[in-house]
Amino acid sequence: MVTRHLAQLEEELDGPLFTRTTRRVAPTKAGDLFYEKAREAILLIDKGIAECKALNNHNSRIAVGYEYLYMDQITTPWLEEYESNCGEGIAVDVIEQPSPQLFDALFAGSIDCVFVGVTSEELIPAYLEKRRVASSMGENIFVGKTHPLANRARITIDDLLDEGFVYPLTKPTSRESIVARDFEERGKTPHSIVTLHQPSALSVVERGSAVINLPEGYGIESPNLVRIPYKSNHHIDYFFVWNRGNENEAFEQFRAFIEQKITEFNG
């Protein structure tokens, strides 16, 4: 079946798409060109499907993206308030992915907006709209009560170069973590492990076997953990980001609510 369709396609294109020998099959220049054009067409079709789905579902759901580090105590209550009091039957879906995938999803139209923290505003693609939620955020280092760093008033990168880190699900990168950026600037890679969920990671920290760095405002309260400010020349800016090309009536109402909340928060 594939051979027959390929022969029909080559006949339509007036030439071969592959060179064939007894040992190998390789694309011709025309084959490479057709592949790239077909790939572009398929991507456009996928984007069209996503946009149509978003258009058909805009009256029932708002899709909001987060990175796991920024499922914070600032904005997640806003989503709950909107869904309970303002949404008029609109459900808010939360999607958790690394920021590059979130930006790709905004471009494709499969999500409506994202909340991301970045160590440089330039990491947000220029074609996206953004509103700063909070600026100059820092990070905290969490250690167990018996850890040698537990009595420090503050911690710098020099204190962490030989420490082990633990994270739930994924390791932060220099895009969203000040500690990771400081390691990168030193030309070093932190020793780290990943667990399947947050409680496992925190239990490792509580035992003193590793430390974890989290943004200011990340909600962790444990009698067995000590929170210590991390001092760095860098900071995190926290943004609400969306793609104006994907806006619809339901999202415009949601965006107006979030922007009002940002204004109140920065008071």
Side-chain angles (χ1 to χ4, degrees), residues 117-133:
V118 289
T119 54
S120 172
E121 186 174 347
E122 296 176 354
L123 293 166
I124 300 175
Y127 62 83
L128 296 176
E129 304 291 330
K130 58 183 180 289
R131 173 81 184 268
R132 185 179 274 104
V133 178

Side-chain angles (χ1 to χ4, degrees), residues 81-189:
E81 179 181 341
Y82 182 81
E83 194 169 16
S84 298
N85 303 325
C86 309
E88 298 181 356
I90 295 177
V92 178
D93 292 337
V94 173
I95 298 163
E96 191 176 329
Q97 290 179 335
S99 58
Q101 284 92 316
L102 292 176
F103 296 148
D104 288 344
L106 282 177
F107 176 75
S110 57
I111 61 175
D112 295 291
C113 59
V114 303
F115 288 96
V116 293
V118 289
T119 54
S120 172
E121 186 174 347
E122 296 176 354
L123 293 166
I124 300 175
Y127 62 83
L128 296 176
E129 304 291 330
K130 58 183 180 289
R131 173 81 184 268
R132 185 179 274 104
V133 178
S135 60
S136 300
M137 293 172 59
E139 284 184 337
N140 291 310
I141 306 297
F142 288 84
V143 302
K145 295 180 71 173
T146 61
H147 194 280
L149 294 174
N151 295 321
R152 298 292 297 272
R154 66 180 185 180
I155 290 176
T156 69
I157 186 63
D158 293 321
D159 301 309
L160 298 175
L161 293 177
D162 296 322
E163 291 294 330
F165 292 79
V166 61
Y167 300 104
L169 298 176
T170 184
K171 302 174 186 178
T173 72
S174 59
R175 296 188 312 268
E176 67 277 351
S177 167
I178 300 171
V179 170
R181 183 166 179 176
D182 285 344
F183 265 96
E184 187 176 89
E185 289 186 349
R186 292 289 186 96
K188 296 183 178 294
T189 301

Side-chain angles (χ1 to χ4, degrees), residues 199-220:
S200 296
L202 295 183
S203 66
V204 174
V205 177
E206 289 174 347
R207 293 196 303 267
S209 304
V211 304
I212 188 171
N213 56 292
L214 295 168
E216 290 177 1
Y218 196 97
I220 290 182

Side-chain angles (χ1 to χ4, degrees), residues 208-259:
S209 304
V211 304
I212 188 171
N213 56 292
L214 295 168
E216 290 177 1
Y218 196 97
I220 290 182
E221 298 297 334
S222 169
N224 300 316
L225 292 177
V226 178
R227 179 196 306 256
I228 309 170
Y230 177 71
K231 184 173 178 57
S232 171
N233 293 327
H234 300 296
H235 66 272
I236 298 167
D237 284 333
Y238 188 34
F239 286 93
F240 172 59
V241 185
W242 71 97
N243 185 347
R244 189 172 295 278
N246 299 332
E247 287 189 353
N248 54 59
E249 183 177 347
F251 176 67
E252 288 177 5
Q253 177 184 338
F254 176 79
R255 178 172 58 81
F257 171 82
I258 294 297
E259 292 192 316

